[in-house]
Amino acid sequence: QVHLVESGGGLVQAGGSLRLSCAASGRTSDMYAMGWFRQAPGKQREFVAAITTNGGMTYYPDSMKGRFTISRDNAKNTVYLQMNSLKPEDTAVYYCGGEKSRNWLRGDYDYWGLGTQVTVSS
């Protein structure tokens, strides 16, 4: 089993930045990739970014390219999401996910954290 804990969310003004962290514990070697997703009230979950745990390959859906950067620190079993030039529409709960298989681009991950709230004020 893998346990994921997100942190770093909060309230920020439009144009500001935040860095989210996702700390993994347990059988972290089971994970092929980790990713960030978000869900705003009344909306479907969106895939934000993902990174493989070994090779460091990254993936961003076209709608997320440019302002978000995912990175990892394997020594700390932690994945980060740097978010710049934030907009009010980025307001959502951001979730960290872990995927065991090589189908890491599908988004239906095996492990999930509880999420961290990001609120961007205008």
Side-chain angles (χ1 to χ4, degrees):
Q1 189 63 282
V2 172
H3 187 52
L4 303 174
V5 179
E6 304 94 335
S7 61
L11 175 64
V12 63
Q13 287 189 329
S17 298
L18 278 177
R19 189 177 80 155
L20 305 182
S21 300
C22 174
S25 60
R27 295 179 61 88
T28 57
S29 60
D30 283 354
M31 292 190 293
Y32 180 79
M34 295 177 67
W36 287 97
F37 301 77
R38 71 184 187 184
Q39 188 165 21
K43 295 188 177 181
Q44 288 190 330
R45 185 181 67 196
E46 289 185 284
F47 201 156
V48 177
I51 187 167
T52 57
T53 54
N54 288 329
M57 290 186 292
T58 58
Y59 165 73
Y60 303 91
D62 287 344
S63 58
M64 301 297 172
K65 290 179 180 177
R67 298 185 297 118
F68 298 97
T69 303
I70 191 169
S71 61
R72 77 197 195 286
D73 183 337
N74 285 348
K76 296 182 178 180
N77 286 323
T78 299
V79 170
Y80 305 97
L81 183 69
Q82 178 68 41
M83 306 186 294
N84 298 327
S85 303
L86 284 164
K87 306 174 182 180
E89 50 264 42
D90 294 318
T91 295
V93 177
Y94 284 70
Y95 296 94
C96 176
E99 170 59 35
K100 294 190 294 186
S101 78
R102 291 178 181 269
N103 294 319
W104 62 296
L105 300 182
R106 293 199 312 194
D108 54 343
Y109 281 22
D110 297 296
Y111 306 110
W112 294 96
L114 296 180
T116 185
Q117 175 71 46
V118 172
T119 303
V120 185
S121 63
S122 57

